[in-house]
Amino acid sequence: MTTTPQKPPHNAASPKEAGDIGVATGPIPGSRRIYAECPARGFRVPFREIQLHPSAGEPNLAVYDASGPYTDPAAVIDIAAGLPRPREEWVRARGDVEDYDGRLVKPEDNGHVSAERLVAPFPLHRRPLRARNGAVTQMAYARAGIVTPEMEYVAIRENGLRERVRDIIRDGEDFGASIPDVVTPEFVRDEVARGRAVIPANINHGELEPMAIGRNFLVKINANIGNSAVTSSVADEVDKMVWAIRWGADTVMDLSTGRNIHNIRDWIVRNSPVPIGTVPIYQALEKVGGVAEDLSWEVFRDTLVEQAEQGVDYFTIHAGVRLPFVPLTANRVTGIVSRGGSIMAKWCLAHHRESFLYERFAEICEIMRAYDVTFSLGDGLRPGSIADANDAAQFAELETLGELTQIAWANDCQVMIEGPGHVPMHKIKANMDKQLAACGEAPFYTLGPLTTDIAPGYDHITSAIGAAMIGWFGTAMLCYVTPKEHLGLPNRDDVKTGVITYKIAAHAADLAKGHPLARAWDDALSRARFEFRWQDQFNLALDPDTAMAFHDETLPKEAHKVAHFCSMCGPKFCSMKISQDIRDAARAAERENGMDAMSEAFRAGGGALYRPAPAAE
Amino acid sequence: MTTTPQKPPHNAASPKEAGDIGVATGPIPGSRRIYAECPARGFRVPFREIQLHPSAGEPNLAVYDASGPYTDPAAVIDIAAGLPRPREEWVRARGDVEDYDGRLVKPEDNGHVSAERLVAPFPLHRRPLRARNGAVTQMAYARAGIVTPEMEYVAIRENGLRERVRDIIRDGEDFGASIPDVVTPEFVRDEVARGRAVIPANINHGELEPMAIGRNFLVKINANIGNSAVTSSVADEVDKMVWAIRWGADTVMDLSTGRNIHNIRDWIVRNSPVPIGTVPIYQALEKVGGVAEDLSWEVFRDTLVEQAEQGVDYFTIHAGVRLPFVPLTANRVTGIVSRGGSIMAKWCLAHHRESFLYERFAEICEIMRAYDVTFSLGDGLRPGSIADANDAAQFAELETLGELTQIAWANDCQVMIEGPGHVPMHKIKANMDKQLAACGEAPFYTLGPLTTDIAPGYDHITSAIGAAMIGWFGTAMLCYVTPKEHLGLPNRDDVKTGVITYKIAAHAADLAKGHPLARAWDDALSRARFEFRWQDQFNLALDPDTAMAFHDETLPKEAHKVAHFCSMCGPKFCSMKISQDIRDAARAAERENGMDAMSEAFRAGGGALYRPAPAAE
């Protein structure tokens, strides 16, 4: 991996540098980015190919890849130019959008920062696109029976390169999901049409490599980035986005709440191959000087348009935090833990009025459908402690989100539903069941849940337990939690730890659901492990760097990478080595027949505990 | 925390030092070790008291504590003298044991190491105790209707200091367990008599602070230590034991496979307040020069006696790896992954004979019952990959372990059953159900299970998911997994990470089972969090050092510890702060009545976002 320093975004008004934006480029060790061509459409779909030693006797494994061009050494990375925008052609080819002047960027959009603190705008400015009339959403097309390029792209991605997989094994319990053996573009269309999957794909996000979120596809994960008033910068946030997708984040949310929100977001979206989500109420609050009571529909609407023009693919909107529900939180242990939820609750009580997000929901739909921004209906009243799990406030909001889902769908708007939070294990299934019933099978997108409150510093783990379980039960996307949860803003290392942890949870869920592609990965790694193909084991690991570094802490020499033991047990006690000996002797004896011969073969071969691995290439 | 350097165990034959044994002493930050007195018996039972700020308005929380005298500043720690042995009195007072000369330590016991590599023996030598006749096990006493001091000690420990808990909340799903509201000594006796719980307590382990392992008690965790031929030393291993119990390990297994096994074990047992487990076949294999085929009943028997005299509290014995089962592993992806299992499989095939552990099981019982060593019936055929989970080999062994449990119980021997391994989530419950049915409700003691194979370097997390679930379903003890699993021997940091991770899994299970003491901890921490009592939140965390360090990375000043925000969101966006504002204004308005007054109160109070915390003590 290399870090490619980039031309810094410096303030044109001042000769001072804002700092380099360096992002991680180059392949993950042992892997390379490959493509499946789609000749009919003229695009190519990325995968990550994991290299195995020829002695493995099996094809290199290909896995789903979200890392974008950054891991392709043939790609030219120029953060100031942004990624290529092949998707823009697909959008324009539909003939139902127009470009227009767009909204002017105002000082309030960047929090009225002073000139010397203003992050430079992204250098390239384009006129945004919007619908000429009607809806330009993937749902609208799907319902009209159209298989879009986005849907075809998704179908190819979700199928993996299954011709390479020796054994497609479907062994799981999926609680009534409908995961097909093979994903066809028609299947994708149908899932989107019925609202059971979303393809978050703003028409202004031309850099997007389309992906789907839905129960009947691979479980996805989201990583959160974004600055706060206390810390971080545009360089850090762009770097975090690239770092997060490198390790496997399928979408990224920019949750910035500090200065320069608009400009930072431009740099992120223009350089992101994955869908970007935001919570527009944060920026709206900044625009009114942080005074929640001064929020209004007008400020919010303006923010939606501003962000839609930039190409944000999904908005978290807390339209379920309704005035009558707020008192239901009065006796909670941790009140309202959602930033957006607490802001809206404060507004409702200050004005003694119903939430304008709820009342104006149909008008929000008008905007969403004109750009194809997907709703992520926020769980503003989610439980922030074990004590508050599954309470009346939480489920009252969920029922409302179900009601709003129907309105959104009536407008051809794509919808996913956000979920908890902090939930002890025995209450997790009920969350899935209620959401399925209330929200018409719209995709569920949970934060964990955390299964205990007692381990700040380790909440990636307390929540991985709940996330794996709720993913198994049917949740479509898992929002990561880092070790810094409850304690501070995550740094780069925390982002990686959170992503790897959530890839574990998502994959464990795919496996338990019996997803046809899941077992191939576990089996490939276990074969490598059993055959002492150490480098292959490292290459196949979710985090090859760490796997190899941990091994090398005690056995650093190259010869150790073909050793038939590691430092856990040493050469005499390695059970896998002994297993191999048993197996080899058994096969030799079988050829000669008879159990006596078997015993003899063992005694004869028993002395040799170390055999060199096949010669390296 | 301080590190107390200890007089080194140096070789009397050589002036060279073997190195200091430094162990971690002193309280965990924010906690102190306290005791509940038992006047009737004259002993005292330890707990950890977590200090809370007076403004919390609640008593300091007391939690279960396994750390031994090491966290008590009043205790004098002298590793070369070992811990005090109050339990020896209780054992002798029963009048059914005798001391005797004991077995001579032979060079083979320490792997025939040369003089300069020999670890010095533990300085104090005592004549071991054994039964005069009959069984001296906790089960024998329990079945005779006797409540031993060990049982009373356990009852006090398992009850916590519940008079301090505001709300005993029983909210869970325990799948038919029988967790009482209050644990009485009689309840403990009954659980032990019926074999549903064990109290691992060798009569020669006078330093032991007794504990129970059983479905109807708090879920326990085990940490593994021990050297291998490749690395580690006696100083490292004693330090790891003290470090592991400091962070919460309830038992420790010494899995040493290198040199000096006998002498290292002495140093560990003499300084351990928790039960120590071993796998005697490892040392037996060392005694025959590492040649599995040269193992014999005689060598094994001798090793059992050797280790029982030292005070080892439980033995893992792979008596279920039977000759006819070995071929069932032939087509597995990862064969036999248990060290002991692979050793016994090799012996069976080499001799074409049934395992001597199986055939001589009744004779093993004779030894176990004479010292009260608990059986941990080994899962030598556990699955070491997702592909092998729940296969015929695994369950054939489990059925045999059930058969052997009955034989052990007929001899009044205590028994727990070891379990998997690598198991995808959808197959975990079946493991619990089968074990309950096959093994008469003997306690289940699993390794994880790991829920996917694809993340070496993170297997503490892949397995925490499975461990939490199987603990919820009824598993009594969870054997930890560290980040080094599959890659190498864990170091001190790995031991801590593994322990904290498994405390999370165990507590999440207690919570989901509705254990009466579990919620108090989560609720205390969440209250501290909501009230911005940062120091209390850190003190209540499973790992206070890390929680505070993570917070202080971005907000290091003392003033930050009373701030009503952290760097995740900053002062304007902290949802908990906003929740507090809402709640305070609501209460103020309530006093004046009416919703208009409420709105007014919000607008009036809305500007103040930061309020100082109550003055520190």
Side-chain angles (χ1 to χ4, degrees):
Chain A
M1 184 199 87
T2 54
T3 301
T4 306
Q6 298 296 318
K7 195 166 145 60
H10 60 274
N11 185 343
S14 153
K16 272 197 307 206
E17 302 283 12
D20 286 355
I21 295 185
V23 297
T25 56
I28 291 195
S31 286
R32 62 179 187 138
R33 189 155 147 109
I34 61 174
Y35 299 92
E37 303 288 332
C38 180
R41 298 278 195 174
F43 56 62
R44 53 185 201 163
V45 179
F47 295 93
R48 176 160 70 94
E49 179 188 64
I50 301 172
Q51 264 94 68
L52 303 178
H53 195 271
S55 67
E58 56 189 89
N60 292 335
L61 187 70
V63 299
Y64 192 101
D65 181 61
S67 62
Y70 300 99
T71 51
D72 184 345
V76 176
I77 302 300
D78 180 359
I79 299 290
L83 293 176
R85 294 166 58 91
R87 191 173 156 250
E88 189 175 342
E89 256 187 68
W90 315 348
V91 171
R92 288 188 181 276
R94 290 194 266 265
D96 55 4
V97 298
E98 60 189 15
D99 56 49
Y100 66 107
D101 281 343
R103 173 191 170 284
L104 285 173
V105 178
K106 312 169 209 166
E108 67 187 15
D109 299 347
N110 282 303
H112 295 286
V113 295
S114 54
E116 64 271 14
R117 289 177 166 220
L118 181 68
V119 159
F122 186 77
L124 305 172
H125 178 71
R126 291 184 189 84
R127 288 158 59 82
L129 301 172
R130 73 182 163 199
R132 285 186 203 281
N133 45 41
V136 292
T137 66
Q138 292 293 314
M139 178 176 254
Y141 303 130
R143 284 173 165 180
I146 298 167
V147 172
T148 60
E150 289 87 348
M151 294 169 200
E152 275 208 58
Y153 192 102
V154 161
I156 294 172
R157 262 188 128 167
E158 292 282 338
N159 271 322
L161 297 180
R162 58 180 63 205
E163 61 277 11
R164 297 185 180 204
V165 178
R166 199 158 79 176
D167 305 298
I168 297 280
I169 295 171
R170 297 210 62 167
D171 176 5
E173 165 58 70
D174 65 16
F175 299 100
S178 305
I179 302 165
D181 282 333
V182 179
V183 177
T184 60
E186 170 55 27
F187 178 78
V188 177
R189 187 205 61 74
D190 185 62
E191 289 289 295
V192 173
R194 62 201 294 172
R196 206 153 62 183
V198 296
I199 300 175
N202 185 319
I203 55 176
N204 287 302
H205 192 178
E207 302 84 351
L208 179 72
E209 294 175 355
M211 56 82 75
I213 300 166
R215 182 183 188 189
N216 296 320
F217 300 102
L218 291 162
V219 177
K220 307 303 191 303
I221 71 167
N222 173 72
N224 291 329
I225 64 168
N227 70 357
S228 76
V230 178
T231 185
S232 201
S233 69
V234 60
D236 289 342
E237 297 311 315
V238 173
D239 173 58
K240 277 184 206 170
M241 178 273 290
V242 174
W243 190 237
I245 65 177
R246 176 183 184 79
W247 295 109
D250 296 291
T251 81
V252 166
M253 289 196 80
D254 172 9
L255 303 183
S256 292
T257 59
R259 289 179 285 263
N260 292 299
I261 291 178
H262 181 102
N263 290 2
I264 288 177
R265 188 166 48 240
D266 265 337
W267 285 93
I268 290 172
V269 183
R270 298 283 69 84
N271 285 288
S272 177
V274 303
I276 296 294
T278 62
V279 187
I281 200 75
Y282 297 166
Q283 190 179 14
L285 185 65
E286 288 288 322
K287 290 177 179 176
V288 297
V291 182
E293 297 87 328
D294 292 350
L295 284 166
S296 66
W297 163 244
E298 289 70 27
V299 169
F300 186 75
R301 187 192 185 288
D302 176 66
T303 306
L304 293 182
V305 172
E306 169 193 351
Q307 299 197 8
E309 289 181 352
Q310 289 180 292
V312 172
D313 301 286
Y314 65 92
F315 291 150
T316 293
I317 294 180
H318 297 92
V321 179
R322 297 186 53 193
L323 175 62
F325 300 161
V326 180
L328 297 175
T329 67
N331 293 324
R332 279 183 159 186
V333 173
T334 41
I336 298 170
V337 298
S338 154
R339 287 177 190 164
S342 63
I343 292 165
M344 288 311 299
K346 193 167 186 185
W347 187 92
C348 288
L349 291 176
H351 294 278
H352 191 230
R353 282 183 50 198
E354 184 57 271
S355 158
F356 58 84
L357 298 178
Y358 180 78
E359 293 192 327
R360 304 279 203 161
F361 193 75
E363 295 172 69
I364 296 174
C365 290
E366 291 298 317
I367 298 167
M368 308 294 266
R369 72 203 301 259
Y371 298 89
D372 196 5
V373 181
T374 296
F375 276 105
S376 190
L377 293 179
D379 55 336
L381 301 183
R382 69 176 175 273
S385 53
I386 293 297
D388 297 340
N390 291 23
D391 75 352
Q394 178 190 341
F395 287 141
E397 178 182 52
L398 182 63
E399 294 294 326
T400 295
L401 298 189
E403 178 194 322
L404 295 172
T405 298
Q406 297 301 323
I407 298 172
W409 283 350
N411 284 280
D412 286 334
C413 294
Q414 303 194 74
V415 180
M416 53 187 174
I417 308 292
E418 292 183 8
H422 290 231
V423 184
M425 288 191 285
H426 67 295
K427 293 187 175 180
I428 292 178
K429 184 87 178 7
N431 277 274
M432 191 69 229
D433 295 340
K434 281 188 186 295
Q435 188 270 344
L436 283 167
C439 302
E441 297 190 282
F444 206 17
Y445 168 30
T446 59
L447 179 62
L450 285 69
T451 52
T452 170
D453 301 338
I454 71 170
Y458 296 76
D459 279 323
H460 56 307
I461 299 178
T462 61
S463 66
I465 296 167
M469 291 174 66
I470 210 169
W472 174 27
F473 299 150
T475 290
M477 185 154 78
L478 307 169
C479 184
Y480 89 169
V481 174
T482 76
K484 291 287 169 54
E485 188 74 9
H486 299 119
L487 301 170
L489 200 71
N491 63 29
R492 201 177 191 263
D493 292 338
D494 300 318
V495 167
K496 179 181 176 184
T497 299
V499 169
I500 298 293
T501 299
Y502 271 68
K503 287 292 285 180
I504 288 170
H507 183 81
D510 285 332
L511 208 52
K513 290 163 75 179
H515 189 289
L517 298 184
R519 269 285 292 276
W521 198 340
D522 298 78
D523 290 358
L525 192 139
S526 287
R527 285 190 292 265
R529 174 172 288 154
F530 190 64
E531 295 166 20
F532 296 100
R533 289 182 276 116
W534 284 104
Q535 195 59 58
D536 288 355
Q537 184 184 165
F538 304 149
N539 294 351
L540 285 160
L542 275 177
D543 179 0
D545 294 326
T546 296
M548 187 156 79
F550 280 4
H551 173 271
D552 290 358
E553 257 183 52
T554 51
L555 290 175
K557 299 181 183 166
E558 273 316 293
H560 293 139
K561 297 225 182 18
V562 296
H564 288 215
F565 63 89
C566 75
S567 68
M568 178 76 93
C569 304
K572 280 192 290 193
F573 281 86
C574 176
S575 61
M576 291 198 177
K577 180 63 184 77
I578 297 170
S579 287
Q580 290 271 20
D581 292 345
I582 292 171
R583 192 168 290 195
D584 296 340
R587 291 196 182 113
E590 251 183 338
R591 290 194 291 274
E592 308 178 21
N593 275 341
M595 289 302 279
D596 289 336
M598 279 181 72
S599 303
E600 195 52 51
F602 280 118
R603 276 190 286 271
L609 288 162
Y610 180 88
R611 282 206 309 276
E617 216 181 43
Chain B
M1 185 198 86
T2 53
T3 300
T4 305
Q6 298 296 318
K7 191 164 147 64
H10 60 275
N11 186 341
S14 154
K16 271 197 306 205
E17 303 284 14
D20 286 354
I21 296 185
V23 297
T25 57
I28 292 196
S31 285
R32 63 180 186 138
R33 188 155 147 109
I34 62 174
Y35 299 92
E37 303 288 331
C38 180
R41 300 277 194 174
F43 58 61
R44 51 185 201 162
V45 178
F47 295 94
R48 175 161 69 96
E49 180 188 62
I50 301 173
Q51 264 96 66
L52 303 177
H53 195 272
S55 66
E58 56 189 88
N60 292 336
L61 187 71
V63 299
Y64 192 101
D65 181 61
S67 62
Y70 300 98
T71 51
D72 184 347
V76 176
I77 302 302
D78 179 0
I79 298 291
L83 293 178
R85 296 166 57 92
R87 194 172 154 250
E88 189 175 342
E89 257 186 67
W90 314 350
V91 171
R92 287 189 181 276
R94 289 194 268 265
D96 54 5
V97 299
E98 61 189 16
D99 55 49
Y100 67 107
D101 281 342
R103 173 192 170 282
L104 285 174
V105 178
K106 311 169 209 165
E108 65 185 18
D109 299 347
N110 282 303
H112 295 285
V113 294
S114 54
E116 63 269 14
R117 286 174 169 225
L118 181 68
V119 160
F122 187 76
L124 304 173
H125 179 70
R126 289 185 190 85
R127 288 158 61 81
L129 302 173
R130 72 181 164 200
R132 286 186 204 281
N133 45 41
V136 292
T137 67
Q138 292 293 314
M139 178 176 254
Y141 302 131
R143 286 173 165 179
I146 297 166
V147 172
T148 60
E150 288 88 347
M151 295 169 201
E152 275 207 58
Y153 192 101
V154 161
I156 294 171
R157 264 189 125 168
E158 293 281 339
N159 271 321
L161 298 179
R162 60 178 61 206
E163 61 278 10
R164 297 186 180 204
V165 177
R166 200 158 80 176
D167 306 296
I168 297 281
I169 296 170
R170 298 210 62 169
D171 176 5
E173 165 57 71
D174 65 16
F175 298 101
S178 305
I179 302 166
D181 282 333
V182 179
V183 176
T184 60
E186 168 58 25
F187 177 79
V188 177
R189 187 204 61 72
D190 185 62
E191 289 289 294
V192 174
R194 61 201 294 172
R196 205 153 63 181
V198 297
I199 300 176
N202 185 319
I203 57 176
N204 287 302
H205 192 179
E207 302 85 352
L208 179 72
E209 294 175 355
M211 55 80 75
I213 300 167
R215 181 183 189 188
N216 297 319
F217 300 103
L218 291 162
V219 176
K220 306 304 191 301
I221 71 168
N222 172 73
N224 291 329
I225 63 169
N227 69 358
S228 77
V230 177
T231 187
S232 201
S233 69
V234 60
D236 289 342
E237 297 312 315
V238 174
D239 173 59
K240 277 184 205 170
M241 178 274 289
V242 174
W243 190 237
I245 65 177
R246 177 183 184 80
W247 294 109
D250 295 290
T251 81
V252 166
M253 289 195 80
D254 172 9
L255 303 183
S256 293
T257 58
R259 288 178 286 262
N260 291 299
I261 290 178
H262 182 102
N263 290 0
I264 288 178
R265 188 167 47 242
D266 264 336
W267 285 91
I268 290 171
V269 182
R270 299 284 69 83
N271 285 287
S272 177
V274 303
I276 295 295
T278 62
V279 188
I281 200 73
Y282 298 166
Q283 190 179 15
L285 185 65
E286 286 291 322
K287 289 176 181 177
V288 297
V291 182
E293 298 88 328
D294 292 350
L295 285 166
S296 66
W297 163 244
E298 289 71 26
V299 169
F300 186 74
R301 187 192 186 287
D302 176 65
T303 306
L304 293 183
V305 173
E306 169 194 350
Q307 299 197 8
E309 289 182 350
Q310 289 180 292
V312 173
D313 303 284
Y314 65 93
F315 291 150
T316 292
I317 293 179
H318 297 91
V321 179
R322 296 186 52 193
L323 175 61
F325 300 162
V326 180
L328 297 176
T329 66
N331 294 323
R332 279 185 160 185
V333 172
T334 42
I336 298 170
V337 298
S338 154
R339 289 176 188 165
S342 63
I343 291 164
M344 289 311 299
K346 194 167 186 185
W347 187 93
C348 289
L349 291 176
H351 294 277
H352 192 229
R353 282 183 49 195
E354 185 57 271
S355 157
F356 59 83
L357 298 178
Y358 179 78
E359 292 193 326
R360 304 278 202 162
F361 193 74
E363 293 172 72
I364 296 174
C365 290
E366 291 298 317
I367 297 167
M368 307 296 266
R369 74 204 299 258
Y371 297 90
D372 196 5
V373 182
T374 296
F375 276 105
S376 190
L377 293 178
D379 55 337
L381 302 183
R382 69 175 174 272
S385 53
I386 294 296
D388 297 341
N390 290 23
D391 75 351
Q394 178 190 340
F395 287 140
E397 178 182 53
L398 182 63
E399 293 295 325
T400 295
L401 298 188
E403 178 195 322
L404 294 172
T405 298
Q406 297 302 321
I407 297 173
W409 283 349
N411 284 280
D412 284 335
C413 293
Q414 303 194 76
V415 180
M416 53 187 173
I417 307 294
E418 292 184 6
H422 290 231
V423 183
M425 287 190 285
H426 66 295
K427 294 187 174 179
I428 292 178
K429 184 88 178 4
N431 278 275
M432 191 69 228
D433 295 341
K434 282 188 186 294
Q435 189 269 345
L436 285 167
C439 303
E441 296 190 282
F444 205 19
Y445 169 31
T446 59
L447 179 63
L450 285 70
T451 52
T452 171
D453 302 337
I454 71 171
Y458 295 77
D459 279 324
H460 55 307
I461 299 178
T462 61
S463 66
I465 295 166
M469 291 174 67
I470 210 169
W472 175 26
F473 299 150
T475 290
M477 186 154 76
L478 307 170
C479 184
Y480 88 169
V481 174
T482 76
K484 291 287 168 56
E485 188 73 12
H486 300 120
L487 299 170
L489 201 71
N491 63 28
R492 201 176 191 261
D493 292 337
D494 300 319
V495 167
K496 178 179 176 185
T497 299
V499 169
I500 299 291
T501 298
Y502 271 67
K503 287 291 285 180
I504 288 170
H507 182 82
D510 285 333
L511 209 52
K513 289 164 75 178
H515 190 289
L517 298 184
R519 268 285 290 278
W521 198 341
D522 297 78
D523 289 357
L525 191 139
S526 287
R527 284 191 292 266
R529 173 172 288 153
F530 190 64
E531 295 166 20
F532 296 100
R533 287 182 277 116
W534 285 103
Q535 194 60 58
D536 288 355
Q537 185 184 165
F538 304 148
N539 294 351
L540 286 160
L542 277 177
D543 179 1
D545 294 326
T546 297
M548 188 156 79
F550 280 6
H551 173 271
D552 290 359
E553 257 184 53
T554 52
L555 290 175
K557 299 181 186 167
E558 272 317 293
H560 293 139
K561 297 231 183 9
V562 295
H564 288 215
F565 62 88
C566 75
S567 69
M568 177 75 93
C569 305
K572 280 191 295 194
F573 280 87
C574 176
S575 62
M576 290 197 179
K577 181 63 186 71
I578 298 170
S579 288
Q580 291 269 21
D581 293 345
I582 292 172
R583 191 169 290 195
D584 296 340
R587 290 198 183 110
E590 251 183 338
R591 289 194 292 274
E592 307 179 21
N593 274 341
M595 290 302 280
D596 289 337
M598 279 181 73
S599 302
E600 193 53 52
F602 281 116
R603 275 189 288 271
L609 287 161
Y610 181 88
R611 281 205 310 275
E617 213 180 45

